[in-house]
Amino acid sequence: MKVYLDNAATTRLDEEVFQAMLPYMKEDFGNPSSIHAFGRKTRSAIETARKTIAKSLNVTPAEIFFTSGGTEADNMAIVRAIETYGIKHAITSKIEHHAVEHTLCQLEKEGKIKLSWVNIDSKGNVDLKHLEELLKANPKSFVSLMHANNEIGTLLPINKVGELCEKYESVFHSDTVQTMGHFAMDLRAMKVHMVTCAGHKFHGPKGVGFLYVNHSIKLKPLIYGGAQERNMRGGTENLYGIVGLAKAFEICNRQMTEHQDHIRGLKNYMIGELQKNIAGVEFNGEINEHSLYTVLNVLLPPSDDAEMLLFNLDIQGIAASGGSACSSGSNQGSHVLRALGIDMTRPSVRFSFCKYTTKEEIDYAVTKLVEILKIKEVVK
Ligand SMILES: Cc1ncc(COP(=O)(O)O)c(C=O)c1O
């Protein structure tokens, strides 16, 4: 049996998305910048995709910039907003994705900003009091805090952070890569200046995403070249990627409640099964309503087989991860778990679910996990 429980790393392409992309890989291949009919057709497909995404986020199409994915969108937001506005101080947390953390650290290394780290608790919740203290001492800062943590699933109270940023005249960027397509968002009502998206996290294609930039923010491009993306990102567009991204977004919005209920149900079921079958099991990050329903990070009891756990799961056909995709196959690499003060001698496994995940797959994964851990004792 092959069981894919690593959907926070990436997801399977939806068949409907694939079908929407196909014509743009074959007959509709014109360069969107060409003025002839071939080009006009693909230009129209890109602008329709932009409108679909903008409409579901309640923003204008002019606020959506297509990128090569989450990492580029995060880089563009951080590097260009800090430069454009001459910002000298930034605030972030120790559990951000490397697309954010490494970008900000690089700017600090280059002497462009001073970086402050907001306190987080052991479940990954941001200390809002500390955030306000930092903002009070450093108004007009750049704040980057992720909407949902990709490793532990803890959610940020994004509107509360937005209100604090507004109070202290700061620019607020949130990495929403794990929540886009999973929660309905009205960005007009949210006090966030920039958010990011990666299509492959919700059954869209890889290598495509977008950056939303509120109309009040003006950025310089990150990539210079042609006039694509209204001069904000040179380079011939990833046409079929953009078409697929918009289709995936449309499907998510159409089926959101149904999928939320299905996935949340499976996550809660897995929590229960793990608690029933593994004495001393705990969970990293929140598992309540302040948590992303697609992610479950399990902290297992100490085991001799800890090092080999992901490898053994893989042998049984189960794909899970020890942290973010870049540290799949290793428990050592998680900067997030380390920042939370989690006991790194105990194995942690991130299981992440999607609309295709079934109860049978969860049962199989729990059974194999118990076998691998060689746990004999059953909790009554
Ligand atoms: C929270 C978060 N931010 C950014 C990224 C990077 O996105 P991409 O792979 O599209 O560059 C990821 C993907 O793992 C992510 O989970």
Side-chain angles (χ1 to χ4, degrees):
M1 190 164 177
K2 283 227 177 301
V3 175
Y4 186 76
L5 295 176
D6 201 14
N7 290 280
T10 198
T11 55
R12 192 169 106 197
L13 194 74
D14 189 305
E15 176 62 26
E16 200 183 330
V17 173
F18 178 61
Q19 290 303 330
M21 292 167 71
L22 260 186
Y24 297 96
M25 293 175 178
K26 299 194 318 193
E27 63 268 30
D28 297 327
F29 60 85
N31 187 319
S33 297
S34 299
I35 53 166
H36 48 61
F38 287 81
R40 290 200 304 277
K41 180 147 194 201
T42 53
R43 163 65 45 218
S44 160
I46 288 179
E47 296 318 317
T48 301
R50 199 188 310 277
K51 275 187 209 149
T52 302
I53 291 166
K55 189 160 180 266
S56 60
L57 295 172
N58 194 23
V59 297
T60 62
E63 293 171 302
I64 301 293
F65 298 93
F66 291 118
T67 65
S68 66
T71 303
E72 184 190 320
D74 282 336
N75 269 263
M76 182 165 157
I78 295 166
V79 173
R80 286 318 197 205
I82 285 174
E83 193 185 76
T84 309
Y85 291 95
I87 296 171
K88 296 285 176 240
H89 181 259
I91 302 168
T92 191
S93 82
K94 289 274 185 192
I95 59 169
E96 296 302 306
H97 191 273
H98 283 153
V100 168
E101 192 189 319
H102 287 174
T103 309
L104 283 166
C105 286
Q106 182 59 28
L107 293 180
E108 188 182 45
K109 215 158 112 190
E110 291 170 9
K112 292 181 177 152
I113 52 164
K114 184 186 171 303
L115 195 51
S116 296
W117 305 93
V118 67
N119 293 339
I120 44 160
D121 69 13
S122 62
K123 291 282 177 191
N125 297 295
V126 168
D127 180 342
L128 293 176
K129 253 199 197 140
H130 185 228
L131 179 62
E132 178 150 21
E133 281 164 26
L134 289 172
L135 282 165
K136 205 175 199 169
N138 306 278
K140 297 190 188 338
S141 284
F142 181 88
V143 176
S144 185
L145 291 169
M146 69 203 307
H147 193 194
N149 186 278
N150 52 303
E151 294 193 32
I152 53 165
T154 301
L155 286 170
L156 180 78
I158 195 166
N159 288 325
K160 284 190 185 153
V161 172
E163 277 162 23
L164 287 176
C165 289
E166 186 177 64
K167 187 169 166 192
Y168 295 99
E169 299 173 84
S170 295
V171 176
F172 177 30
H173 158 253
S174 185
D175 177 329
T176 51
V177 165
Q178 293 289 343
T179 49
M180 275 283 170
H182 298 291
F183 290 101
M185 281 189 217
D186 178 351
L187 289 177
R188 191 58 72 224
M190 287 160 69
K191 291 186 191 305
V192 60
H193 294 112
M194 289 175 285
V195 300
T196 52
C197 170
H200 68 108
K201 304 292 187 186
F202 48 92
H203 310 289
K206 293 170 181 52
V208 66
F210 65 81
L211 171 66
Y212 154 76
V213 184
N214 183 273
H215 58 79
S216 64
I217 299 285
K218 298 281 170 271
L219 298 183
K220 287 182 203 158
L222 187 68
I223 296 172
Y224 289 94
Q228 291 91 351
E229 296 303 294
R230 298 177 310 294
N231 287 308
M232 279 290 285
R233 184 184 190 267
T236 302
E237 297 89 338
N238 178 357
L239 170 64
Y240 34 83
I242 290 170
V243 168
L245 169 70
K247 179 51 86 181
F249 212 71
E250 185 198 309
I251 297 169
C252 284
N253 283 299
R254 206 193 313 140
Q255 305 173 338
M256 192 164 286
T257 319
E258 185 193 321
H259 290 158
Q260 276 183 358
D261 291 348
H262 170 71
I263 300 167
R264 202 173 268 129
L266 288 177
K267 174 173 167 174
N268 289 335
Y269 175 69
M270 189 169 197
I271 292 172
E273 288 302 295
L274 290 168
Q275 285 170 331
K276 250 195 276 172
N277 289 290
I278 302 175
V281 71
E282 290 177 82
F283 301 96
N284 297 318
E286 295 289 4
I287 51 165
N288 54 19
E289 71 278 11
H290 302 298
S291 124
L292 184 61
Y293 58 90
T294 50
V295 169
L296 181 63
N297 197 310
V298 186
L299 179 62
L300 294 158
S303 158
D304 294 343
D305 294 334
E307 306 258 305
M308 297 297 282
L309 188 59
L310 289 172
F311 179 66
N312 283 322
L313 284 170
D314 192 20
I315 287 177
Q316 297 299 329
I318 301 159
S321 106
S324 64
C326 37
S327 58
S328 280
S330 146
N331 262 344
Q332 307 307 313
S334 175
H335 68 290
V336 173
L337 298 184
R338 224 176 302 119
L340 297 181
I342 303 297
D343 179 356
M344 301 295 273
T345 61
R346 285 174 63 178
S348 286
V349 184
R350 179 188 70 180
F351 295 101
S352 46
F353 322 105
C354 77
K355 61 181 178 182
Y356 301 121
T357 311
T358 64
K359 182 174 166 293
E360 289 67 39
E361 290 178 325
I362 303 285
D363 285 335
Y364 180 78
V366 173
T367 305
K368 290 297 166 194
L369 185 60
V370 172
E371 271 176 33
I372 292 165
L373 290 168
K374 299 185 189 72
I375 288 171
K376 305 276 188 301
E377 185 192 351
V378 175
V379 184
K380 293 280 175 322

